[in-house]
Amino acid sequence: MKSDFSTPAAPLRGLGGPLRSSEPVRAAPAPSAAVVLLEEAADLLVVHLDFGAALQTCERALPSLANLDAGTSLEVKCSLCIVGIQALAEMNRWREVLSWVLQYYQVPEKLPPKVLELCVLLYSKMQEPGAVLEVVSAWLQDPDNQDLPEYRALAELHLQRVLLPLGCLSEAEELVVGSAGFSEEQRLDVLQAISKARQQQKHQCLGSEKAQKLNQEASPSSLPFLCKLSQLFHRIQEAIFSLYRLPIHD
């Protein structure tokens, strides 16, 4: 039975329209080496739990991003850094995260919001928020970043996880007042929190100064007293010994 080739072929999505019998089949472009390595790194991290191999795969992939278009390159680079950060954290090498990421972005202002957020959460969780203080501050002050939709969330995260825990109240106040990313209600709430933290900080300083003053007042009076007491003890000892040395008369 003769095959009927007169029936038009069904449209194939993603190839720019219906496929005609006279047109050659166009194969989908092969994924770039960086994309393949990204998938491999994610698989090593999540499925195989081979964190060292996942990190090495990310480091192999990052230099090969030049072959991608600008948009894809930025997205793949960000994803590779996120996998690398998680791998370093799993290996308890979290202290290396910030320097490891900055070697690929050179300056803090160029860090993607997702990468910066992950760094803040990691160092905050490890109770080392001071490590990201300058990096996040530089990122928030950059005019190009202030137009990003993620700016407001990162500013709030910086306040809650970095500035307030470190007691950087003036910096927190400047950020809230000078940033357009906060609504008036949010600004008032944060300023109230800053005022409360400043009062607590003031009470702690007063308590510390009072304790220090009491110690200073006690020290001069207690030292002469101890010296006098020691001298008196020695005199009593000498008197007792001299009594024993006296001749006994009948």
Side-chain angles (χ1 to χ4, degrees):
M1 182 176 178
K2 187 176 179 181
S3 299
D4 186 6
F5 291 102
S6 60
T7 305
L12 298 179
R13 298 182 183 274
L15 296 178
L19 179 66
R20 302 180 184 277
S21 59
S22 59
E23 292 180 349
V25 177
R26 289 175 292 176
S32 67
V35 174
V36 172
L37 289 172
L38 171 59
E39 294 177 354
E40 181 182 339
D43 190 61
L44 288 167
L45 177 73
V46 178
V47 179
H48 301 285
L49 304 180
D50 192 342
F51 310 122
L55 179 65
Q56 292 175 1
T57 304
C58 291
E59 292 173 340
R60 283 168 49 207
L62 283 162
S64 63
L65 294 171
N67 299 327
L68 300 174
D69 62 85
T72 305
S73 175
L74 290 174
E75 185 177 352
V76 173
K77 185 177 183 180
C78 176
S79 299
L80 285 167
C81 284
I82 288 174
V83 173
I85 290 171
Q86 292 176 337
L88 285 167
E90 292 289 351
M91 292 187 290
N92 200 28
R93 293 170 56 185
W94 56 271
R95 290 183 178 85
E96 304 173 32
V97 163
L98 201 56
S99 59
W100 184 83
V101 168
L102 286 174
Q103 71 179 317
Y104 298 109
Y105 287 96
Q106 281 76 52
V107 292
E109 294 83 353
K110 299 301 181 183
L111 288 173
K114 291 180 182 178
V115 170
L116 188 60
E117 179 184 6
L118 193 57
C119 289
V120 173
L121 291 173
L122 174 62
Y123 282 92
S124 173
K125 181 180 179 181
M126 304 310 296
Q127 299 182 353
E128 291 288 344
V132 293
L133 175 61
E134 294 183 3
V135 170
V136 186
S137 296
W139 192 94
L140 291 172
Q141 291 170 9
D142 187 82
D144 293 335
N145 294 330
Q146 293 176 6
D147 295 329
L148 296 175
E150 300 91 348
Y151 180 86
R152 177 172 158 183
L154 274 169
E156 291 178 358
L157 188 68
H158 186 49
L159 279 168
Q160 296 171 0
R161 298 297 186 94
V162 180
L163 293 179
L164 294 180
L166 289 174
C168 301
L169 304 183
S170 298
E171 292 84 348
E173 199 169 32
E174 290 175 6
L175 176 61
V176 175
V177 174
S179 174
F182 295 92
S183 66
E184 189 62 28
E185 184 179 356
Q186 288 178 323
R187 188 175 287 109
L188 290 174
D189 290 341
V190 174
L191 289 175
Q192 287 178 359
I194 292 172
S195 177
K196 184 177 180 181
R198 184 172 279 123
Q199 289 177 358
Q200 291 177 349
Q201 194 178 70
K202 184 178 179 180
H203 288 317
Q204 290 174 355
C205 290
L206 289 174
S208 177
E209 290 176 359
K210 186 177 180 181
Q212 186 177 4
K213 186 177 180 180
L214 288 173
N215 289 334
Q216 290 175 350
E217 290 175 353
S219 296
S221 59
S222 60
L223 286 176
F225 174 74
L226 292 175
C227 290
K228 291 178 181 178
L229 187 62
S230 177
Q231 292 173 0
L232 180 60
F233 178 73
H234 286 301
R235 288 177 183 175
I236 292 173
Q237 278 187 324
E238 291 176 356
I240 293 172
F241 291 149
S242 62
L243 288 174
Y244 280 108
R245 290 196 296 268
L246 288 174
I248 299 175
H249 301 283
D250 294 334

